[in-house]
Each structure stands twice: as C-alpha cells, then as structure tokens.
Amino acid sequence: MNPLSRRTLLGAAVGTAAAASWPRSAFGAAPAGPLAAEITRRHDESLQRLQAWIREPCIAAENKGYDAGVPFFLQMLRDAGFQKVEQVPTSGKPGVFATLDAGAPKTLGLYFMYDVKQVDPSEWSSPPFEGRLVDKPGFGKVIVGRGAVNQKGPEATFLAALHAYRTAKRKLPVNLVLVAEGEEEIGSPHFGEVVKRPDIASALGKSIGIFMPSASQDPDGAVEMTLGGKGVIELELVASGARWGRGPSKDVHSAYRAALDSPAFHLVQALSTLVTADGSEPAIDGFADRARPLSASELQMVKRAAQRLSEAKQKELLGVKRWLHDEDWEHALVRLCSRPTVNIEGLVGGYTGPGGKTMLPTRTVAKLDLRLVPDMTADGALAALKAHLQKRGFGDIEVNMSGGYDPTTTPADSPFITAMEAIYRKAGVEPLLVPRSGGSWPGYLFTGKPLNLPAGHYGLGHGSGAHAPDEYLVIESSNPRVAGLDAAVNSHVAYLESLAG
Amino acid sequence: MNPLSRRTLLGAAVGTAAAASWPRSAFGAAPAGPLAAEITRRHDESLQRLQAWIREPCIAAENKGYDAGVPFFLQMLRDAGFQKVEQVPTSGKPGVFATLDAGAPKTLGLYFMYDVKQVDPSEWSSPPFEGRLVDKPGFGKVIVGRGAVNQKGPEATFLAALHAYRTAKRKLPVNLVLVAEGEEEIGSPHFGEVVKRPDIASALGKSIGIFMPSASQDPDGAVEMTLGGKGVIELELVASGARWGRGPSKDVHSAYRAALDSPAFHLVQALSTLVTADGSEPAIDGFADRARPLSASELQMVKRAAQRLSEAKQKELLGVKRWLHDEDWEHALVRLCSRPTVNIEGLVGGYTGPGGKTMLPTRTVAKLDLRLVPDMTADGALAALKAHLQKRGFGDIEVNMSGGYDPTTTPADSPFITAMEAIYRKAGVEPLLVPRSGGSWPGYLFTGKPLNLPAGHYGLGHGSGAHAPDEYLVIESSNPRVAGLDAAVNSHVAYLESLAG
C-alpha cells in the first residue's frame, strides 16, 4: 500500500522546493509552552499508553478484537478526563460519545476512530500489534504498529495533552465533545447513526468545529491542510450463474464453456462499461453530472501547491512515470482534488492459486471504490451505477455497497481553520492549504446538513504506512523540523490554548 | 469443480432415455473370462495397490510429491511386469518410458499420467490422500481419493490385469509400450519431449494404437467413446504498472486513481475484447479462422448422442438452466464437440480478502484457457492472441502460456476403436460414439505427425469427481450395470485377448 495516510495525500511531496526557506523549528529540543515540562515528564507514560492501545486492535473487515478493544478505548477516554463516556450501539460496531465539561465558554468537537486496517504480518519487519520502538534512519526512534499513524498514534497524542492538563491540575481551556467510530476502515457504514442521534447531534452542534488529531507533517516537516475530502462508495459487484440465470450455478469443468455462458466474462463486460475505452475516466451514465469544477480560489490553492510540492518526489513515492493522460503536475493535482473516480480495488473469482485450473467459475467479484466530489452524493452515485448496469443488460449483477458517504468541504476562511494555520506558523511551519484530499473521510456528517460545522485535521508529528506494512509514528525525532511525540502533544496544547484566547 | 472427468464430458447424462433397453450385464456378479478367478482372488491386493498409489500424490502446480512419487510409480510398472522401465528427464517433471515384450506379434501403446490435480482438503469428507473405502448410496463401496478416477484408479485397474496374467502364469497376448507424464494436470507442457525422443517415438510407432485406461461408465453404466479431444492453451494474462509504464508500479492508495491509470481496468478492457459483447463467443482476431465444422458423419454421431443423452440430467449436474444462445440440446452438443472457446478460469488482483481495501493495485492476473478444434493449433492460437492484444494497445500485457497442445482426432472406423466397441457390446453395453470431447488431452502427440496413430480411452467402471472434492471410483458395485473393480480389470483382459485374436 501507499506510504501515506488518506488524509495527507499530497503531503509527502511537500518540501524540497520550499523547505530551505522555512524557519527551523525547535522540535528537536524540548517543546515550549505552558505544559511543556509536564509533557516531557510524562513521555514514557504517553508512549506506553499508545503501545497498549496498538495491542488491542479492532478490525471491522475481520470482525476482530471488539470485545476487548471497545472497553479498552472507553477506559482510555475516562482516564483522559472525559466525565461522560458512552458506548453507542449502531447496526454495526459500536460508536462512542464522550464529553468533557471544563466549564469553559467554548466547546471543541473531536472525531476519533478506534479501528485499524487489516494486516499481513508476514510483510512486517516487527509484529504489527506490538508497538515496538525501532531506529529508523533519517527519522529517529519510531513506534511501529498498525494504527501508529492511522489513527491511534495522533489520537493518543491528543489524549496525552489532556493528561498533561489533568496531572498539572490546569483547567482545560475548552469543553470537549467527542464522537468515535469503529468502522472507519470499512467506509463508516454506521457512523451516521451515532452523529445523528438527537442528543449527540445537539451536543456537537454547540461546538465551534470538529477536528481529528493527525500527524500532519511530511518527512521534511512540511504540513498540508486539506479543506475537505472526497466522498466515496465502496462496493462489490458480484456476477453469478445462479443470479444471472445463465452459465453454471456451480463451478464446472471449463470444457463446458463451449455451450455455456461465463459469469466471469459477464462481469468483465460490465466492468468495461464503467470507464472509457482507455480505462481512464468514469463512464457510468449520470455518475459525474453534478461534479463541480474547482472554484477560482480553489484553483489558486492548487497552483500554489503545484509550485511547492515536488512532482519528482511524489512520482518516486508512488512508483509512477506518467500521470493520467500524460498531464503535467498542476493538472494532476487538479484531478486529485476535483475529479470523481471509478477504481478496481480487487478482482477475485474462480481459481486464484498457482498455475491454472481448467474450470468455468460460477461466481466472480470485483471490489470497487468510487470517489465523489461536490455536488455528488453517495446515494446518487449508487443509484447511477445500478441504473447504468440495468440499462446495459447487467441488472443481474449484485451491487453490494459496504460503506460510503458524501464529499466534505470546509471553507478556507473558517476561524476554526485559520486558528490551526496560526499555530503551525508559530511553530515555524507554513502550512500548504489544498481544497480537497484525493482521499475520503466521513466529515460530511459534520460539514453537511444539519450541523454545517467546519471540520479538519490537525497536529504536528510525522508517520507513514497507513494501510501498509511497518506503519510508524516518529516518537523521538532526529530531524529538527519534524515533531517527535512530546512536540506533537504540545501542538495540541497550543491549539487548545489558542481557542480559549 | 464438475463431477466429470475431462474425458467423459458427455457421459454422465447417458442413459435415462435408453437404459431400459440395454441388456443387463453380469457386473454385479463375478466377472467371466479366462482370468476371472485370478482377478477375484487378487481383489484386495489390487485395491491396496491403488490405495498406496493415492497416498503418493505428485502435484505439478504445487511442485509436490515427485521425489517419492516418481520412484513409486516406476516400481509399480516393474512389479506389473514391464521389463524395461526408464525415467525420462524433461525440462519439467520426468516422463516415463516402459516396455513389456511378451513375444507377441502385436504391440499395444499405453498413455499414463502419474500426477493428480490440487486439492482443498477442507472440502473433502475423507482425506484426499488416504484412499478410504466408503459406502456411497446407489453406487456401493467406492474408494475416495485424489486420482481415484483421474487417472490412477483406471490405470491401477489396467495394471491389475497385468498382475492377473503374471500370477496366473499366462502369456500376455500383446507387447506393451508405455509412455507416461507427470504434468498432465498443468497442460502437459513437456510431454512432447518424451514422445518425440527418437527411440521412444520408434517404439510407439510399432504399436497398433495408444490408449489410456479409463473408467468410462456413467452412473447408469452407459459408455461414451470420444474419438478425439480439443486442443487447449492455458495461460495467464498479467497487467502491471511497471510493464505498462502507466499507473503505479506498486500498490498505492486508491485516492491516487484520479491522476493515475489503473492496470486492473487495463486488463479488464483487454479481456473484454477477447469475446463478443455478450461474452459468448471468441472474438480474438484470426483465432477461430481454421476451426473446421463437424463433418456429415460427425454430425450424425452428435444427433444420435442428443437422442440418447439426457439433457435434463446434464443440466442438473451442471446447475445450468440455459445453454449458450438458448440453443437446444443437439446444438449445445454440436458446440461442445466443435467450437473453440475463450474461458476465464480465474481472476486475481489487488485486494481479495473480506470487505474492501482502498487500494489501486499495480498487478492483476487473468487465468485463461482457450480450447481448440481441428484445424487450429496451439501455436497458432497463441500467436493470434498476442497479435490481437498488440493491435489493440494491450501489447504490454504479459501472455504467459503454461501449457497446451493441438486437438486430437481418431477415425471412428479405426480397428483400434471398433475392437473396443466390440468388447463393450459383449459386456452388454452399447457405446455411444462422439466425435470429440469438449475437454482436452494431449493425444495429438500420438494422432498427429509423425506417428499418426489411433488413440482413445477404454475401460469399464465408474467414478467421478475429477478435479473436485470426494473424487471416487466404484470398487464393489451395487448397480448391476456398473462394473466394480474386478469387472473393470476383466474388461482390460477382454480387450487384450481380443487384440491377440
């Protein structure tokens, strides 16, 4: 998988062009700030808390770890000072609703996920659920484990800031209202049930905005702030002889192909209509009709990003020689921010082992994700796909949507965002604003109706390997421009303090 | 997988229409014939020999079992009376060449395979490599194990006939020349190296024809004799970003799809051109140009087959409601005998586990088999496929052929075939001749140049489950029309005796 979290899609290439002109920050030294000493004193405790959490994985796709992982997470929130911590049942895995009333005038919203992506342990150089500290050349000491950067590490970093207030016996400058889900990695299919519960929606509605803790720095220390994310639907298309009424209803010898239809080819023919003949663009009828081009100001952001981000570095990271249609860097970034997509995540059907097996399989599955931009909707995309298939004689193919949600957008001039920018600048980092990530997160639940709140990600620190082997987060940084754990905790303290001011 | 061996593709549906009019055979009782008593006396020994062989699987796709399995097979041949038994090195797994000189005027050729198909033990009701005897309602006592019917069971049955001659101290009425391979289940990629070795080709050239022992009876006792098989090529099509020079050269997050080509969709678009828009017919340029329609006499055979074979039973066995193009039974059989095919055996790429994973995979594989009829050739089919892909902008897609060979045909009036027919009739079974199996076997090495020999399958007995779980062969038959082990052994004695006469 890619070495980047879905929330810092353009970030890893920030820097080479402009880094030299940035002020050097003091991240290599002890953090400054009102609670800095407390944070340093409690470094080991904060690290051990994260390690303990990594050892309690919840993986929705494998229905694994929830019995132990949910109570563990609830207790973490109580320990951090949330007075009310409630497990919220949904049609899927439980959500969480927690509040911390500090008696402050302002309330800050928080979005957490407590689940992690699947792993293939054989691909890891240290056990994925151990949280081992290792030396990573060029980075320093990093913690390796599933969730280290996506998203337990940054979340535990935020909780460490709360612990610092608590143990220093300082009043938190804002009240907190937190919602969390355990199905983010399968497309947040039931998180709406949490956010839309009337009392929870009401509590969130009183907040100034919602943020998710993030390790936002790239390996050079640069920070990219994305003002939104694409919507997404994830689904399986399943072609089967039984449902089609043609071809075999069980796997048979391939000799019969001469007199039988092939459900696998039926799926191939259906898939081939979903994109243009060269495979590049969505071709689902009506799918992209409501895709809105970037506004003039959004386009300006992307132009700036194209200047500041290193195309060569990004191409190297991705192992890519050419962008789609052989477009230039700026146009590739415009596409990332503004174009809907139809992607095959996986294909599986028939014999998949070594060599061949002369069979005519009855069932073949394509796993797809479709990314959506404003003003497209998840419901609209699903309906368009189904109608498209129906119209072309593929109505028998099952469309099993496993999760998805609408795009999300927060205005660049929201005070919630400008406050974050100010802290980054104070820390010596000039953040790069981009209108939208190429990836997705369910921020629409906050930014859409009825809440209409600003939402974003925030936090210093660096990690990588989300969804990939050897996912890591920098704990003790050897790069003076990259925050280690304590400096990252301090970035949260700084933000909380700024909100009070 | 299907419950039928590739060599009895139409066989399982023989019977319901005509069975009542066939004379009842004496298969339920002890077999008659010159060596019947010896065969009965040595029943347990014959069964144990087969069981021991099943416990020594050689599986080419998994490169498994050859160290022990090859010497085991060689010793079996020596024990059966072959005076010269030679392991023949090839570029792949070893072949075998064996001769038994009985001082007889005629020499009979034999083709054996000593390898078996892969298994998934979890799908079996008894261990696939044990050879357990179980009661199968409607059939009697059957041996269950991989290779029971395809092809160790029938081959061990033939060897039991040789043992009967040996222990009864009777002279074998013909000399034998045997060639065997250990890669039949991966498409016989190196068997030509065995057959074409000058001394082996010379020995085979002196034979009256080549046959492979087979359990040719369907569950009702009927026998189908196929006079040929289709050719086949098995191959993988591999689309990858690295080779294409477009899309990622490693798996990346699917968010990047907006600016990157998708090797998976590239493969889908390539596959979609290999068949007609409805997925039914081959559409590879030039692929089927030399496909020869059935001759008038071949068509007559198929018409007779359509009358005698039960369409309803075949549809039930396959789980099929409609034949291709909604054709009738006769036309479906014509297609099975005469049409080339393009089949997807399997598709595998990207994320194939439970749920989804938001990735843009760099590599996707389609496993295909293409069946060929006279006068198509394996080399011609491969060349046509490559040229087709090249012409359409898919020249970067790897075409990895793992095995294959030309079609094979033996004339119905060959004395080699008419002698088999005569024995079946004598046993009370009116064999159904079909011009060609829908499946494939490498008979072209015998029937093609330079040997130009007749080749076929022969033997009484019934089994099923080739390539499927719970593969079996009837040992003690509860159906008076189906031969058990001893009657099947006797059918080989009867054939050998008839050749001498």
Side-chain angles (χ1 to χ4, degrees):
Chain A
M1 291 296 296
N2 74 314
L4 308 172
S5 130
R6 72 177 67 178
R7 276 166 289 277
T8 58
L9 278 173
L10 305 170
V14 173
T16 40
S21 64
W22 297 343
R24 289 178 66 86
S25 81
F27 295 150
L35 293 165
E38 189 68 15
I39 290 167
T40 305
R41 189 155 50 236
R42 300 199 171 267
H43 173 92
D44 289 354
E45 185 184 309
S46 301
L47 174 61
Q48 284 153 18
R49 189 181 304 115
L50 171 56
Q51 288 173 316
W53 197 9
I54 285 172
R55 288 172 199 141
E56 292 289 352
C58 294
I59 301 177
E62 298 173 349
N63 189 28
K64 183 175 141 183
Y66 287 81
D67 285 352
V70 174
F72 183 94
F73 176 55
L74 297 173
Q75 190 57 44
M76 280 186 79
L77 295 179
R78 286 186 200 104
D79 293 347
F82 286 89
Q83 298 118 346
K84 186 169 162 271
V85 178
E86 181 192 347
Q87 179 170 330
V88 182
T90 75
S91 315
K93 301 300 176 193
V96 174
F97 173 46
T99 52
L100 190 165
D101 184 354
K106 285 186 191 167
T107 296
L108 178 64
L110 287 161
Y111 162 60
F112 273 34
M113 58 188 273
Y114 68 84
D115 63 319
V116 293
K117 203 75 179 176
Q118 307 96 296
V119 297
D120 177 350
S122 69
E123 298 175 343
W124 290 62
S125 62
S126 68
F129 302 125
E130 178 184 306
R132 190 179 293 180
L133 269 195
V134 305
D135 285 311
K136 193 174 173 75
F139 293 90
K141 275 208 190 311
V142 307
I143 184 172
V144 173
R146 175 55 86 224
V149 69
N150 175 209
Q151 211 55 228
K152 287 177 171 177
E155 290 167 350
T157 302
F158 180 85
L159 295 181
L162 301 189
H163 279 280
Y165 278 100
R166 189 180 55 79
T167 57
K169 303 201 189 310
R170 283 181 63 118
K171 197 166 112 50
L172 205 63
V174 292
N175 312 313
L176 300 177
V177 52
L178 177 147
V179 282
E181 65 167 318
E183 297 178 317
E184 202 274 351
E185 294 295 4
I186 57 167
S188 305
H190 306 105
F191 187 46
E193 297 174 26
V194 179
V195 174
K196 289 173 182 166
R197 206 180 76 178
D199 59 325
I200 298 176
S202 166
L204 289 169
K206 287 174 189 133
S207 73
I208 57 171
I210 314 285
F211 91 100
M212 184 181 217
S214 167
S216 301
Q217 295 186 282
D218 83 359
D220 292 321
V223 166
E224 175 189 309
M225 292 178 68
T226 56
L227 296 171
K230 289 181 179 174
V232 67
I233 61 175
E234 270 194 274
L235 54 95
E236 288 187 341
L237 295 186
V238 184
S240 68
R243 178 128 164 181
W244 190 15
R246 307 197 65 88
S249 63
K250 56 186 171 184
D251 294 344
V252 301
H253 195 286
S254 66
Y256 293 105
R257 174 69 169 116
L260 289 179
D261 289 286
S262 159
F265 263 119
H266 189 53
L267 182 67
V268 162
Q269 296 296 27
L271 289 171
S272 77
T273 70
L274 302 184
V275 293
T276 49
D278 69 353
S280 64
E281 302 284 342
I284 301 168
D285 303 331
F287 170 70
D289 289 355
R290 294 176 62 194
R292 173 153 54 84
L294 294 181
S295 69
S297 67
E298 286 173 329
L299 199 55
Q300 269 312 113
M301 284 186 218
V302 176
K303 282 178 188 290
R304 276 197 298 274
Q307 285 162 9
R308 237 179 87 181
L309 301 169
S310 163
E311 178 180 17
K313 197 164 168 184
Q314 187 69 41
K315 279 187 165 172
E316 188 192 335
L317 275 168
L318 297 173
V320 159
K321 285 184 185 154
R322 297 178 187 85
W323 303 114
L324 206 64
H325 306 305
D326 295 320
E327 286 181 343
D328 64 18
W329 183 217
E330 181 181 315
H331 285 89
L333 291 179
V334 168
R335 292 188 59 86
L336 277 172
C337 293
S338 68
R339 294 304 304 161
T341 63
V342 176
N343 177 58
I344 294 176
E345 298 178 350
L347 282 174
V348 57
Y351 178 69
T352 60
K357 195 167 181 180
T358 47
M359 66 188 282
L360 165 51
T362 184
R363 186 172 186 276
T364 305
V365 178
K367 295 167 186 281
L368 302 185
D369 58 51
L370 281 56
R371 306 249 173 208
L372 320 174
V373 300
D375 298 319
M376 298 166 73
T377 63
D379 289 347
L382 183 65
L385 174 63
K386 285 183 174 173
H388 174 98
L389 292 173
Q390 184 71 47
K391 183 177 158 192
R392 281 166 179 73
F394 301 112
D396 58 286
I397 292 179
E398 287 176 67
V399 180
N400 299 328
M401 177 166 150
S402 55
Y405 40 78
D406 297 343
T408 178
T409 302
T410 288
D413 56 4
S414 155
F416 184 77
I417 297 295
T418 54
M420 292 176 181
E421 279 186 276
I423 307 292
Y424 283 134
R425 289 203 184 98
K426 220 167 152 180
V429 175
E430 177 62 35
L432 177 66
L433 263 66
V434 293
R436 186 171 302 109
S437 157
S440 305
W441 75 288
Y444 82 103
L445 286 168
F446 311 120
T447 62
K449 290 175 190 166
L451 291 176
N452 298 315
L453 290 165
H457 296 83
Y458 168 80
L460 287 171
H462 167 70
S464 190
H467 300 193
D470 290 346
E471 180 177 349
Y472 69 91
L473 179 74
V474 174
I475 298 298
E476 296 174 34
S477 177
S478 63
N479 180 342
R481 284 200 295 270
V482 170
L485 177 61
D486 294 351
V489 175
N490 202 53
S491 75
H492 287 295
V493 169
Y495 186 54
L496 294 171
E497 294 291 319
S498 81
L499 293 176
Chain B
M1 291 297 295
N2 75 315
L4 307 174
S5 132
R6 72 178 65 179
R7 275 166 288 278
T8 57
L9 278 172
L10 306 170
V14 174
T16 41
S21 64
W22 296 342
R24 289 178 68 88
S25 81
F27 294 151
L35 293 164
E38 189 70 15
I39 291 168
T40 306
R41 189 157 48 234
R42 302 202 168 265
H43 173 92
D44 289 355
E45 186 184 309
S46 301
L47 173 61
Q48 284 155 17
R49 190 181 303 118
L50 171 56
Q51 287 174 317
W53 197 10
I54 285 172
R55 288 173 198 139
E56 292 290 352
C58 294
I59 302 178
E62 298 173 348
N63 189 27
K64 186 175 138 183
Y66 287 81
D67 285 352
V70 173
F72 184 93
F73 175 55
L74 296 173
Q75 190 57 45
M76 279 186 79
L77 296 179
R78 285 187 200 103
D79 293 346
F82 285 89
Q83 297 117 346
K84 184 168 163 272
V85 177
E86 181 192 345
Q87 179 170 332
V88 181
T90 75
S91 315
K93 301 301 177 194
V96 175
F97 172 46
T99 52
L100 192 165
D101 183 354
K106 285 187 191 166
T107 297
L108 178 64
L110 287 161
Y111 163 59
F112 273 36
M113 56 188 276
Y114 68 84
D115 62 319
V116 294
K117 204 74 179 177
Q118 308 93 298
V119 297
D120 178 350
S122 69
E123 298 174 343
W124 289 63
S125 62
S126 70
F129 301 124
E130 180 183 306
R132 192 179 291 180
L133 270 196
V134 306
D135 286 309
K136 192 172 174 74
F139 293 89
K141 276 210 191 311
V142 306
I143 184 171
V144 173
R146 176 56 85 225
V149 67
N150 176 206
Q151 214 50 238
K152 287 177 172 178
E155 290 166 350
T157 302
F158 180 84
L159 295 181
L162 300 190
H163 280 280
Y165 277 99
R166 189 180 56 77
T167 56
K169 303 200 190 311
R170 282 181 64 116
K171 195 166 113 51
L172 204 63
V174 292
N175 312 312
L176 300 176
V177 53
L178 178 147
V179 283
E181 65 165 321
E183 298 178 318
E184 201 276 352
E185 294 296 4
I186 58 167
S188 307
H190 306 104
F191 188 46
E193 298 175 25
V194 178
V195 174
K196 288 174 184 167
R197 206 179 78 179
D199 58 326
I200 299 177
S202 166
L204 289 168
K206 288 174 190 134
S207 72
I208 56 171
I210 314 283
F211 92 98
M212 184 180 216
S214 167
S216 301
Q217 293 188 282
D218 84 358
D220 293 320
V223 166
E224 177 188 309
M225 292 177 69
T226 56
L227 296 171
K230 288 182 179 174
V232 67
I233 61 175
E234 271 194 274
L235 53 95
E236 290 188 342
L237 295 186
V238 184
S240 69
R243 178 128 165 181
W244 190 17
R246 306 197 66 87
S249 63
K250 56 186 171 183
D251 294 344
V252 300
H253 196 284
S254 66
Y256 293 105
R257 174 70 169 117
L260 290 180
D261 289 284
S262 159
F265 263 119
H266 189 52
L267 182 67
V268 162
Q269 296 296 27
L271 289 171
S272 77
T273 69
L274 301 185
V275 293
T276 48
D278 68 354
S280 65
E281 301 284 343
I284 301 168
D285 304 331
F287 170 70
D289 289 356
R290 292 176 61 194
R292 174 155 53 85
L294 294 181
S295 68
S297 66
E298 287 173 329
L299 200 57
Q300 268 312 110
M301 284 186 220
V302 176
K303 282 179 188 289
R304 277 196 298 273
Q307 285 164 8
R308 235 178 89 181
L309 301 170
S310 163
E311 177 180 18
K313 196 164 168 186
Q314 187 69 41
K315 278 185 165 173
E316 189 192 335
L317 274 169
L318 296 173
V320 159
K321 286 184 184 152
R322 296 179 187 84
W323 303 114
L324 206 66
H325 306 305
D326 295 322
E327 286 181 343
D328 63 18
W329 183 217
E330 182 181 315
H331 285 89
L333 292 179
V334 167
R335 292 188 60 85
L336 277 172
C337 293
S338 68
R339 294 303 304 161
T341 64
V342 176
N343 177 58
I344 295 176
E345 298 178 350
L347 282 174
V348 57
Y351 178 68
T352 59
K357 194 166 182 181
T358 48
M359 67 187 282
L360 166 51
T362 185
R363 187 172 186 276
T364 305
V365 177
K367 295 166 187 279
L368 303 184
D369 59 52
L370 280 57
R371 305 246 174 211
L372 320 174
V373 301
D375 298 316
M376 298 166 72
T377 63
D379 289 347
L382 182 66
L385 174 64
K386 285 183 173 173
H388 174 100
L389 292 172
Q390 184 70 45
K391 182 177 158 191
R392 281 166 178 73
F394 301 112
D396 58 285
I397 292 179
E398 287 175 68
V399 180
N400 299 328
M401 177 167 151
S402 55
Y405 40 78
D406 299 342
T408 179
T409 302
T410 289
D413 57 4
S414 155
F416 184 77
I417 297 295
T418 53
M420 292 176 181
E421 279 185 276
I423 307 291
Y424 283 135
R425 289 204 185 99
K426 219 165 153 183
V429 176
E430 177 61 35
L432 178 65
L433 263 66
V434 293
R436 187 172 300 108
S437 156
S440 305
W441 75 287
Y444 82 103
L445 286 168
F446 310 120
T447 62
K449 291 176 190 165
L451 291 177
N452 297 314
L453 289 165
H457 296 82
Y458 168 80
L460 288 171
H462 167 71
S464 190
H467 302 193
D470 290 346
E471 181 177 349
Y472 70 91
L473 178 74
V474 174
I475 299 298
E476 295 176 32
S477 177
S478 62
N479 180 340
R481 284 198 296 267
V482 170
L485 177 60
D486 294 351
V489 175
N490 201 54
S491 76
H492 287 297
V493 170
Y495 186 53
L496 295 171
E497 294 291 319
S498 81
L499 293 177

